[in-house]
Amino acid sequence: MEEKWKQREFDLASVADLCSGSSSSSPGKARFTFDGLQILQDSHQILVNVDLLTAQVFKLGPVQSVCIVEEGSDVVKKTSYSKGATLQFRNEEDSAAFHCVVQQWKKEGKVQGGNLLNGTVVTSKSKFDEKIESSSAKMYFHYYGQLLHQQNMLQDYVRTGTYYAAVIENRADFMGHVVVDVGAGSGILSLFAAQAGAKHVYAVEASEMAEYAQKLIAGNPTLAQRITVIKGKVEDVELPEKADVLISEPMGTLLVNERMLESYVIARDRFLTPNGKMFPAVGRIHMAPFSDEYLFIEIANKALFWQQQNYYGVDLTSLHGTAFQGYFSQPVVDAFDPRLLVAPPTFHVIDFTKIKEEDLYEIDIPLKFTASVGARVHGLACWFDVLFNGSTVPRWLTTAPGSPTTHWYQLRCVLSQPIYVMAGQEITGRLHLIAHNAQSYTIYLTLSAKMWGPGAEQGGILQTSSCKLDLKEPYYRMSQPQAYALAQDQQQPQPLLQTQDIHIQSQDLNESEIMQQPSPNSSVPINSLMQNI
């Protein structure tokens, strides 16, 4: 919608209350605002406020119109229009322009909005509303609007401690700068930014948690004067100034679940200055094939219930196949022993500073591994890390197996048909993620074992197994890593396969350094991290 008509006013030769029963009229104005349309009598007294999406505006003649406002419904749901005004324009040109603006409002889908201190929320049907199912959004914002869930995240000391360290150790990036906290939740990151000397922080939060955040921030008065809480989606909010820094915790399971990364990218495009910084700036999805006979049997056994032929006289076996596939369509969320990995991991980089929102709608990752041991491969294990590329101390937050467990745990996609590999054999495949409107992704996984040994270069695929999973509906196993007995040929402890930490020397993010596979000993111990807080 063009700015030139957002606040446009039309002088009226006369305006009269449609329902007063009086023939008296007086000059007035028709004023378009963010809320819709105001019809004023004597140019200052509001005669009627109009929601243009539900009101009816009719042209009665070249310069005469009538506006009828819906006031409600009767018991049988029949709409009652009982309020309105007749409008007399000064000329045909004004009349035509007025009706043009009305149609533009209806076309753009503008609805009510409100002004907030230092920011404006225009609650139009935004891009978020168009791509996300309303019931999913309602549940999502309800979940994050509860203090017990915020507490769960705050008590993840790896998460909270790493964010604190990343901000405080990089005060130079925050000192005297404007910061936007995207999806502020409890407001903890906004408070960290203020502690680091931010000039002003705009904490944008769409859920009811915005009210708790306001209360928490007000309870810290020395910081509160530099923080403004704005309740609304980043897709809708208007801010009075650009940000030098964006800070957010947009990561979900497998990094991309809940699709908040898209909102983070939208906030970047809307609010961040060209040379602004993002905390975090980069994410990586790590993947490796794994072998876990216990997990496979556990999932397969869930479907045994449906193999009963006489359950209260009912044969359930016709549903066994469907139930079996259903259990294997759930990604498993838990912490696992990294010794279960049968090949060194690979990773896929998502650069939050460069990626387009639309690129997150579909993520296609080719897979290629070389088996370290002979084993039955039960699926693909995944985890993620993110980089806070601070000017002073770059820092990684990792969810890798073998590292201190976070509330994200790790994720495993389990094949209903495992494949067999020998040490040195090549494993190929594809991890394909397609976003859906329930704020998550459908996962398509394929793993294949190539021919191995003499003459393998002339051969092709020996075995292939595929599965389809819904990232929205995982199996929350949540167990701590089990003590797995070493096989006879593995009595010597194996080094953990870790990929989570990279030491970056320069201030600028170097793409070749992101892509470099770090050494197994490059991780930062959590006790060292906590000592920095």
Side-chain angles (χ1 to χ4, degrees):
M1 194 186 315
E2 296 297 328
E3 187 67 33
K4 64 183 180 182
W5 64 266
K6 265 185 178 178
Q7 300 281 358
R8 192 166 179 179
E9 288 187 353
F10 293 88
D11 289 323
L12 301 172
S14 67
V15 59
D17 188 344
L18 185 65
C19 307
S20 66
S22 171
S23 59
S24 63
S25 62
S26 61
K29 286 182 180 292
R31 176 185 297 158
F32 289 93
T33 70
F34 285 111
D35 299 292
L37 173 64
Q38 287 182 342
I39 299 174
L40 301 96
Q41 204 165 31
D42 298 323
S43 296
H44 65 272
Q45 180 182 350
I46 297 176
L47 184 65
V48 63
N49 282 306
V50 181
D51 179 352
L52 287 169
L53 291 185
T54 57
Q56 299 291 323
V57 181
F58 300 102
K59 197 170 185 179
L60 303 179
V63 295
Q64 191 174 24
S65 299
V66 62
C67 180
I68 307 174
V69 179
E70 177 185 346
E71 280 211 315
S73 303
D74 62 21
V75 292
V76 292
K77 307 295 184 182
K78 292 183 178 179
T79 302
S80 171
Y81 297 99
S82 58
K83 191 176 181 181
T86 56
L87 316 177
Q88 187 84 20
F89 293 91
R90 297 183 304 174
N91 53 56
E92 292 185 28
E93 184 180 355
D94 279 0
S95 176
F98 171 83
H99 284 275
C100 180
V101 175
V102 170
Q103 291 305 313
Q104 188 71 14
W105 264 89
K106 289 181 178 292
K107 179 180 177 182
E108 294 290 335
K110 287 291 178 182
V111 295
Q112 293 181 351
N115 293 325
L116 293 172
L117 179 62
N118 291 325
T120 302
V121 178
V122 181
T123 55
S124 59
K125 187 173 178 61
S126 67
K127 198 167 190 178
F128 179 93
D129 300 315
E130 290 172 353
K131 69 185 180 182
I132 300 300
E133 190 178 82
S134 60
S135 59
S136 174
K138 184 177 180 180
M139 292 178 62
Y140 173 77
F141 291 124
H142 174 72
Y143 179 90
Y144 285 107
Q146 299 179 65
L147 279 175
L148 70 158
H149 297 304
Q150 294 292 330
Q151 180 178 334
N152 178 49
M153 292 183 289
L154 289 172
Q155 288 182 319
D156 180 344
Y157 298 116
V158 176
R159 166 196 180 269
T160 307
T162 305
Y163 266 92
Y164 181 80
V167 173
I168 299 303
E169 291 172 347
N170 292 286
R171 284 184 176 89
D173 295 323
F174 292 85
M175 186 70 68
H177 289 146
V178 175
V179 178
V180 172
D181 184 355
V182 180
S186 66
I188 192 70
L189 301 185
S190 297
L191 290 162
F192 289 171
Q195 286 180 1
K199 174 185 174 184
H200 200 86
V201 184
Y202 297 98
V204 183
E205 172 58 39
S207 78
E208 296 303 316
M209 186 53 56
E211 297 172 15
Y212 294 114
Q214 182 67 68
K215 191 172 183 179
L216 179 63
I217 290 166
N220 295 267
T222 58
L223 302 174
Q225 58 188 346
R226 289 182 284 120
I227 304 174
T228 298
V229 178
I230 300 174
K231 185 178 179 183
K233 305 183 187 76
V234 294
E235 291 86 352
D236 304 337
V237 168
E238 300 291 345
L239 299 180
E241 55 187 328
K242 290 288 187 179
D244 305 299
V245 181
L246 285 191
I247 191 167
S248 183
E249 197 267 75
M251 302 90 73
T253 310
L254 193 60
L255 183 61
V256 297
N257 187 37
E258 298 179 342
R259 297 183 65 180
M260 190 181 164
L261 282 177
E262 294 166 36
S263 295
Y264 190 37
V265 169
I266 288 171
R268 176 202 69 192
D269 294 340
R270 297 193 66 209
F271 305 135
L272 193 62
T273 58
N275 297 316
K277 295 190 76 72
M278 298 178 73
F279 279 68
V282 171
R284 301 185 303 181
I285 300 174
H286 297 257
M287 300 145 289
F290 73 91
S291 180
D292 190 344
E293 202 71 42
Y294 296 121
L295 175 62
F296 179 80
I297 293 172
E298 178 185 329
I299 295 174
N301 281 350
K302 288 183 177 185
L304 289 179
F305 171 83
W306 298 97
Q307 285 192 330
Q308 297 180 81
Q309 295 179 328
N310 188 7
Y311 182 74
Y312 294 96
V314 177
D315 186 345
L316 303 180
T317 56
S318 60
L319 293 179
H320 174 261
T322 303
F324 184 85
Q325 291 301 323
Y327 285 120
F328 278 96
S329 72
Q330 291 184 285
V332 176
V333 175
D334 70 348
F336 65 85
D337 191 316
R339 288 174 295 182
L340 296 176
L341 302 180
V342 301
T346 186
F347 59 81
H348 174 77
V349 176
I350 299 178
D351 188 339
F352 307 144
T353 67
K354 298 178 182 177
I355 195 168
K356 297 178 182 178
E357 177 209 352
E358 292 77 12
D359 294 338
L360 292 166
Y361 294 173
E362 185 172 353
I363 302 171
D364 199 4
I365 306 173
L367 304 174
K368 186 177 181 180
F369 308 97
T370 300
S372 303
V373 295
R376 196 157 85 128
V377 174
H378 293 103
L380 190 72
C382 306
W383 60 94
F384 70 86
D385 52 23
V386 293
L387 171 66
F388 302 95
N389 190 36
S391 302
T392 307
V393 183
R395 183 175 286 279
W396 289 90
L397 168 59
T398 182
T399 65
S403 296
T405 303
T406 70
H407 78 282
W408 289 287
Y409 294 85
Q410 292 97 41
L411 180 135
R412 286 185 284 174
C413 303
V414 185
L415 298 167
S416 60
Q417 295 294 326
I419 60 175
Y420 295 84
V421 297
M422 300 292 290
Q425 191 169 4
E426 187 175 283
I427 304 169
T428 61
R430 180 188 188 202
L431 182 66
H432 191 196
L433 309 175
I434 299 178
H436 58 64
N437 63 5
Q439 288 175 277
S440 194
Y441 287 78
T442 301
I443 302 173
Y444 297 90
L445 171 66
T446 300
L447 287 179
S448 302
K450 297 191 71 175
M451 288 190 68
W452 177 81
E457 62 274 7
Q458 280 81 42
I461 300 297
L462 280 177
Q463 304 170 69
T464 294
S465 185
S466 300
C467 60
K468 175 184 175 182
L469 309 100
D470 187 355
L471 186 57
K472 178 80 170 182
E473 301 292 340
Y475 165 34
Y476 289 104
R477 196 167 178 235
M478 299 301 208
S479 62
Q480 293 298 313
Q482 301 175 40
Y484 289 89
L486 294 175
Q488 290 298 316
D489 60 346
Q490 290 182 314
Q491 290 303 315
Q492 294 299 318
Q494 301 296 313
L496 300 183
L497 296 169
Q498 295 181 351
T499 63
Q500 61 266 33
D501 297 291
I502 295 176
H503 300 294
I504 296 181
Q505 303 299 325
S506 63
Q507 174 178 341
D508 297 325
L509 196 62
N510 188 309
E511 186 170 347
S512 63
E513 289 177 300
I514 295 176
M515 298 305 294
Q516 177 185 347
Q517 197 79 2
S519 66
N521 299 319
S522 62
S523 61
V524 178
I526 188 62
N527 59 350
S528 172
L529 182 153
M530 296 303 292
Q531 289 171 2
N532 292 332
I533 299 176

